[in-house]
Amino acid sequence: NTDDMREALRLMAARRINPAAMITHIGGITAGADTILRLPAIPGAKKLIYTQCDFPLVALTDLAQAGNTHPVFARLAELCQQHEGLWNIEAEEYLLAHIPKMNSPL
């Protein structure tokens, strides 16, 4: 409810909770529909979908393995490891600079 959201924002602002700890998966818009349909079957907490990007849903714990076939994921694994396995601003900036983008219809 709204009160819970306000409390969560207050705790984040006070740096008493870290919302990055809730992100367990990342994916592009092409993974969005399937992710939503399979939410009950996908372990973990929050799935962060980058709507402007084209890549599959990947668990943060699987980034190193995914890096065997896609070097962007290997670097993302390293960046997350530097932050105790959590998603972070450096990883996000790297992702946005190196992952394929969706084609603009215009």
Side-chain angles (χ1 to χ4, degrees):
N1 66 34
T2 306
D3 289 335
D4 290 340
M5 291 170 40
R6 285 186 184 117
E7 177 68 6
L9 291 171
R10 186 185 69 71
L11 291 170
M12 283 184 257
R15 298 189 181 269
R16 293 188 54 209
I17 61 172
N18 181 358
M22 295 183 288
I23 299 171
T24 59
H25 295 71
I26 57 169
I29 191 65
T30 47
D34 183 60
T35 299
I36 291 168
L37 292 172
R38 295 186 317 111
L39 271 177
I42 303 172
K46 302 294 182 189
K47 285 67 176 169
L48 181 57
I49 301 295
Y50 288 90
T51 58
Q52 70 275 43
C53 299
D54 181 11
F55 67 102
L57 187 71
V58 180
L60 298 185
T61 56
D62 294 339
L63 285 171
Q65 181 180 356
N68 291 332
T69 56
H70 200 300
V72 170
F73 293 135
R75 180 66 181 138
L76 291 174
E78 293 169 3
L79 291 168
C80 287
Q81 202 56 37
Q82 293 171 10
H83 293 268
E84 300 178 13
L86 299 178
W87 193 241
N88 58 83
I89 191 66
E90 291 89 357
E92 181 171 78
E93 289 172 350
Y94 184 85
L95 172 85
L96 293 173
H98 294 90
I99 207 76
K101 305 296 184 296
M102 295 299 297
N103 291 330
S104 172
L106 299 177

